[in-house]
Amino acid sequence: MTNFIDKVAVVTGAAQGIGAATALKLAAGGATVVVLDLNEAGAKDTAQQISADPQVLASGGRAVAAACDVTDEATVDRVFADLHREFGRLDILVNNAGITRDNLFFKMERPDWDSVLTTNLTSAYLCSRAAQRYMVPARSGRIVSLSSRSALGNRGQANYAAAKAGIQGLTATLAIELGPFNVTVNAVAPGYIATSMTAATAERVGSSPAEHQAAVAARTPLGRVGQPEEVAAAVVFFASDDASYISGQTLYINGGAR
């Protein structure tokens, strides 16, 4: 188990899915993890479950919940300042918050374009900007953001693809600018992962989640879809000391699919 004892991590969109799985792995390594989510009740429930996990209890880690609209600049700045004031440090930021509003391009309405770009990309800008205020003076930090295989293009996801491609450009640029301060910046780009988001995609195309997963598995070299814990493992690696000389990279996690 990677050692995150005495580290403080913030994971956005962590009430469920990949964010919750990442928060659990960080806490199991001994970190104090802030489960940050717009859904305050969901964040509290997830934080309680993590704190009660046997591995987390054994490591001395813990999870606390914080409500935050990561698309609102003033709210993000205030919440990150409050967290730094409470814990005295910020070592790890995981930009995981995201939504989909899928549709073919000629049917896509402006509000669906704007909401996906704002939630998936602008939030990463706002949270990373807030986090670096504390990481740069400390000359230490890890920022890991969630991109997607859809960054390479995906039918019905022009908005999501653009946002996730933007994450990769933001990651590469922040790695250049923050590297002199010993802050590494990386991204992971999952393929099909079994989450509520991909279940919603299945319903959009008129399929059940099980049927949709079976179809994806059939064209994936490993013969199955991914699980949130498998993406979380890569995020946690980038957040660890083992990745201290890796920065500006995007790792695709897709079972070998092309």
Side-chain angles (χ1 to χ4, degrees):
M1 179 64 65
T2 303
N3 186 347
F4 292 106
I5 294 172
D6 295 329
K7 303 286 188 181
V8 175
V10 173
V11 184
T12 72
Q16 62 182 349
I18 293 170
T22 299
L24 174 59
K25 281 189 178 291
L26 288 167
T32 293
V33 182
V34 180
V35 177
L36 199 70
D37 206 284
L38 184 62
N39 178 0
E40 184 174 10
K44 287 181 177 178
D45 184 55
T46 297
Q48 289 172 356
Q49 292 181 41
I50 290 172
S51 292
D53 181 272
Q55 282 190 317
V56 175
L57 290 170
S59 72
R62 61 173 173 151
V64 297
C68 184
D69 179 355
V70 292
T71 70
D72 184 81
E73 181 176 359
T75 301
V76 168
D77 289 346
R78 174 182 56 78
V79 169
F80 274 73
D82 288 346
L83 292 172
H84 188 264
R85 190 177 304 111
E86 179 177 357
F87 299 114
R89 60 189 299 159
L90 175 57
D91 303 285
I92 299 161
L93 167 65
V94 179
N95 290 308
N96 169 75
I99 62 170
T100 55
R101 297 290 185 270
D102 297 348
N103 216 332
L104 293 174
F105 184 64
F106 78 96
K107 295 180 179 180
M108 187 172 289
E109 301 291 339
R110 177 65 184 271
D112 288 341
W113 173 270
D114 287 345
S115 62
V116 169
L117 266 291
T118 301
T119 304
N120 292 273
L121 180 57
T122 303
S123 70
Y125 152 70
L126 292 174
C127 292
S128 297
R129 189 182 65 171
Q132 62 85 34
R133 293 189 183 116
Y134 309 108
M135 293 178 175
V136 166
R139 301 192 70 83
S140 177
R142 300 280 189 269
I143 298 174
V144 188
S145 300
L146 271 291
S147 179
S148 170
R149 184 262 169 238
S150 293
L152 303 176
N154 196 29
R155 182 179 177 85
Q157 287 193 319
N159 48 4
Y160 190 72
K164 293 305 188 180
I167 286 289
Q168 297 188 25
L170 178 65
T171 294
T173 302
L174 293 187
I176 294 169
E177 295 190 13
L178 298 179
F181 304 100
N182 195 35
V183 177
T184 67
V185 189
N186 292 289
V188 296
Y192 195 108
I193 307 299
T195 65
S196 58
M197 185 178 289
T198 51
T201 298
E203 294 172 1
R204 174 179 65 84
V205 299
S207 178
S208 71
E211 291 169 339
H212 202 233
Q213 289 179 24
V216 173
R219 59 177 184 266
T220 301
L222 285 181
R224 61 180 179 84
V225 300
Q227 299 299 317
E229 295 76 15
E230 294 173 305
V231 180
V235 175
V236 169
F237 166 70
F238 278 137
S240 74
D241 290 342
D242 291 336
S244 59
Y245 198 61
I246 302 173
S247 196
Q249 304 303 306
T250 296
L251 175 64
Y252 281 79
I253 305 169
N254 59 6
R258 290 291 184 268

